[in-house]
Amino acid sequence: RERRTAALTRTIVPLLRTVASGEPVDEEMRHRAAISEATARDSLLAPQLVTPEVQRAAAVARGRGLRVSLWEGEGSAIEDFGIDRFRQLLVALLHGLPPGSELTAHWRPGHSDLLATVAATGPMTSRLRQAIQRIVPEATVDIDGGDLWVEIA
């Protein structure tokens, strides 16, 4: 919690001060504010998923025009699958998806039916499928044109 509070203080507070000062807000500031807001949302909605590496990959992806949503269900169990491999998967997808794509990842610790899911839209490549299968060979992967669905049970 302290780490998240410090991160929010470093990123959000300066932006809020700029907005509150009445200074004109240009397009670059809007872009930075949108990425900072999304990063803050990630740390609040998916605190177990957000490591510095995931955070950097998501910020770079958003800077390239990807829409990224990270979610975490209730529970604290780190299953046999391992959250570290799910993080690796997210980083690979965030680096591999082209601009304009959308990625939604849901980590569900402690759930017996599905531990994690990823949905993405945008042009899918065989390289992405190979990366998924390399990182999480037991995942169910469905690629249909511009849609990707990954389930990890």
Side-chain angles (χ1 to χ4, degrees), residues 58-116:
V60 168
R62 287 175 173 128
R64 292 189 353 255
L66 271 74
R67 290 177 305 281
V68 179
S69 298
L70 304 178
W71 300 92
E72 185 177 302
E74 293 184 21
S76 60
I78 303 299
E79 304 292 331
D80 290 338
F81 164 73
I83 195 169
D84 289 335
R85 285 199 298 155
F86 190 58
R87 290 178 186 132
Q88 290 173 358
L89 176 63
L90 291 178
V91 169
L93 290 171
L94 290 166
H95 287 305
L97 287 168
S101 298
E102 184 170 351
L103 178 137
T104 301
H106 194 173
W107 173 251
R108 301 163 37 104
H111 289 265
S112 61
D113 55 342
L114 284 176
L115 178 60

Side-chain angles (χ1 to χ4, degrees), residues 28-43:
E28 181 179 334
M29 175 61 90
R30 282 188 189 89
H31 184 69
R32 282 190 345 192
I35 290 175
S36 293
E37 181 274 330
T39 300
R41 183 176 2 97
D42 292 344
S43 70

